[in-house]
Amino acid sequence: MENIQDTKLNQIIKYDEDYFMPVFGKRVPLVADHGKGVYLYGTDGKKYMDMIGGIAVNTLGHNNSKLVKAISSQAKKVIHCCNYYYNEPQALLAKKLCEISFADKVFFANSGAEANEGAIKLARGYWSKKGTPKPKIITAKMSFHGRTLATVAATGQEKFSAPFAPVMPGFEYVEYNDFEALKNACDATTGAVMLELVQGESGVHPADFEYVQNVRKFCKENNILMIVDEVQTGVGRTGTFFAYEQYGIIPDIATLAKGLAGGVPIGAVLATDMATTGFGPGDHGSTFGGNPLACAAGLAVVEEIESKNLLGNVRKVSEFLFKKLNAVAKKTNKISDVRGKGALIGIELTSDSSAEVKMKLFNKGFLVSSIGSNVIRIAPPLIISKSEAGKFVTALQDVLEGKE
Ligand SMILES: Cc1ncc(COP(=O)(O)O)c(C=O)c1O
């Protein structure tokens, strides 16, 4: 007989099937109820270690007291105030992001795709305002920049844009980590290059150090803006606040979203004063972007990362995870590659079984994502401890060894 929790779970799943557009297909049968730290609990009372962190969003884990306090005290003051007026959290978060980055100016949006839309507009605006329009933007094959019409056009994977043709023109795609290909694709109409420093959505592929250095130098020498999409890699995910810091470069424009407000929707475009000349009054905007609630959450996240030395924690746990996962690879012969940076790791399996492994881990109480047919991606909260990470590695080894 079904117990009352199972009945509730099935009812929610049925509502989803009946009323929600089927864009997510059949989901994992977990109805999130509440969380604490790295754990998420279902309405059925089951406990899961959240090794995917809302896809690199739950930076501070679940129910972080500083974040909850920042959101609730801001909610008591003012949740929304339109951009006709100033608000303190917006000004403070903009200041903070500029202080810890290359940027001179920030614009706030509500998601990664929107932040990238802003970056694309800014780059095009920059060149047209200079009187030398250069609309072409080079992006990488297998990249992912979002689901809006401009960002599916920027994304170097046709499956995301083809059904929604006509696709926005002005993008050219080149092989990732191939500097010659990028160089050859650039011409007098190229205004920007836009890259992820780890391609997260297509299987966790980090950019080569030399490649990024060469691209930066080439862009500078040829009057091309360099945009880095740090929607997934930003906010400490790779062990530095921004992944570009590990490549020894300074971009002209960068975008953030996902982890910036720990789960409250936000996006940000960061730019130098020079690139910012692409936008003047009336050129861009957003009703919700920079809203006091989201920015108060963003400030709490950045402050927690600093005060708890979460960057140090990511580096420490990352080293541990890479060592342990490589040991599992050796022991089981079921893993062909472990790659990524910091707390963004792709575990490539030797067989096309990532969907199955994901479900087996779920049944053992661990949440991960499966990319394509053979990659398990983890992006846990930055607060994860070595002992928690160790439990995940043991569970993965058990699954790969058939101990269910
Ligand atoms: C690198 C990158 N850019 C952009 C996006 C789109 O972000 P959002 O889903 O918040 O629109 C994603 C989402 O996965 C991403 O990984």
Side-chain angles (χ1 to χ4, degrees), residues 337-355:
D337 195 16
V338 180
R339 56 179 180 255
K341 277 193 184 297
L344 177 57
I345 301 176
I347 305 157
E348 189 174 301
L349 307 176
T350 50
S351 65
D352 289 341
S353 59
S354 57

Side-chain angles (χ1 to χ4, degrees), residues 111-114 116 144-147 196 201 229 231-232 257-258:
S111 67
E114 254 190 72
N116 286 337
F144 186 80
H145 297 294
R147 302 275 194 168
E196 291 160 276
E201 292 302 301
D229 176 347
V231 165
Q232 190 153 160
K258 285 189 180 282

